[in-house]
Amino acid sequence: MEQPMAAAGSEEFPEGAKINASKNQEDEGKMFIGGLSWDTSKKDLTDYLSRFGEVVDCTIKMDAVTGRSRGFGFVLFREPASVDRVLELKEHKLDGRLIDPKRAKAIKGKEPAKKVFVGGLSPDVPEEMVKDYFGAYGEIEGIELPIDNKTNERRGFCFITFKEEEPVKRLLENKYHNIGSSKCEIKVAQPKEVYRQQQQRGGRGGGGFGGRGRGRGGKLIS
């Protein structure tokens, strides 16, 4: 077994940024790690997997409500051969539990990810400010600012559709973005059917296309 190798640039990029940036693409160096103990930290997981090769990113998925680990995470190795070395070992034990490493598969969609869900956006942030902020990343095709049917006021999120996929990749390199006075969370917008399934299971994934309520947007930006 190789000696552990330190994670590359662990302080130079936000946790999970490189993993999220390639979530819609095949990446031979990326793995899904299931069966984690609630007590296992990112450092614990990185230290363990670094013995198989250089780790460039690692993240453990946390429950947004409880703040506790959801029992799985992802790791990105610099070299695909490291994944092969992990899989060659029949059993992996960490913090007293058998963990389940697998090759991570890209999230398959019919079309490239060109639409993002922006959560935590204050209704007081002007539409022009939203347009200017996201327009700096690439050409915008449409902005949706959903309206609450009961109050007739803007809701606390929006959707941005770009003409190309590249701006979405760059946005996802950082989970949070400061827009005006709002700290907003950016996620790939999911198709309505996926969003509905998550809600039925009590999930808290990225926003569904369009959301509920009438949108001020959906309009084309010339």
Side-chain angles (χ1 to χ4, degrees):
M1 185 70 68
E2 295 182 7
Q3 293 298 314
M5 300 175 67
S10 58
E11 302 301 326
E12 297 175 3
F13 55 87
E15 176 184 335
K18 294 185 178 181
I19 290 171
N20 287 335
S22 64
K23 68 193 299 181
N24 293 91
Q25 306 168 349
E26 292 293 345
D27 194 324
E28 295 299 322
K30 187 161 56 178
M31 298 195 77
F32 167 86
I33 313 295
L36 295 176
S37 165
W38 283 353
D39 297 324
T40 298
S41 68
K42 175 195 171 186
K43 183 179 185 303
D44 295 334
L45 184 57
T46 301
D47 288 348
Y48 177 77
L49 292 173
S50 289
R51 67 186 68 183
F52 298 95
E54 186 178 358
V55 174
V56 296
D57 198 4
C58 179
T59 183
I60 292 177
K61 296 301 180 180
M62 311 300 286
D63 187 284
V65 176
T66 66
R68 300 190 71 176
S69 167
R70 293 167 62 188
F72 68 92
F74 294 88
V75 64
L76 182 63
F77 287 103
R78 184 171 296 279
E79 300 293 339
S82 302
V83 175
D84 296 330
R85 285 194 287 269
V86 172
L87 296 176
E88 284 171 3
L89 194 62
K90 298 302 182 184
E91 283 192 356
H92 293 269
K93 183 174 278 192
L94 180 60
D95 292 331
R97 288 178 62 104
L98 285 174
I99 61 174
D100 184 21
K102 300 176 181 177
R103 293 185 189 275
K105 296 181 180 179
I107 298 175
K108 295 295 184 182
K110 293 182 180 179
E111 298 179 355
K114 297 181 182 178
K115 188 170 187 175
V116 295
F117 167 82
V118 183
L121 180 67
S122 169
D124 297 328
V125 175
E127 181 174 351
E128 278 302 312
M129 182 179 290
V130 176
K131 180 180 176 182
D132 289 346
Y133 183 87
F134 289 99
Y137 284 85
E139 190 174 358
I140 295 173
E141 184 173 283
I143 298 177
E144 299 169 50
L145 297 163
I147 303 295
D148 189 296
N149 288 327
K150 294 182 180 179
T151 65
N152 205 34
E153 295 180 353
R154 262 177 47 192
R155 303 181 71 179
F157 61 88
C158 74
F159 297 90
I160 309 292
T161 303
F162 292 94
K163 290 194 174 182
E164 303 292 338
E165 186 179 12
E166 188 61 31
V168 174
K169 293 179 184 177
R170 291 196 287 120
L171 276 167
L172 292 174
E173 289 176 359
N174 292 294
K175 184 176 182 180
Y176 295 103
H177 292 253
N178 293 316
I179 306 172
S181 60
S182 302
K183 183 179 181 181
C184 300
E185 183 176 5
I186 309 293
K187 300 179 181 179
V188 174
Q190 298 177 348
K192 287 181 179 179
E193 57 270 20
V194 175
Y195 180 68
R196 282 196 293 265
Q197 289 173 4
Q198 285 187 332
Q199 294 305 301
Q200 290 169 2
R201 295 196 301 263
R204 300 173 66 87
F209 285 150
R212 287 188 176 184
R214 293 173 298 165
R216 184 178 299 173
K219 57 190 180 185
L220 294 178
I221 303 297
S222 58

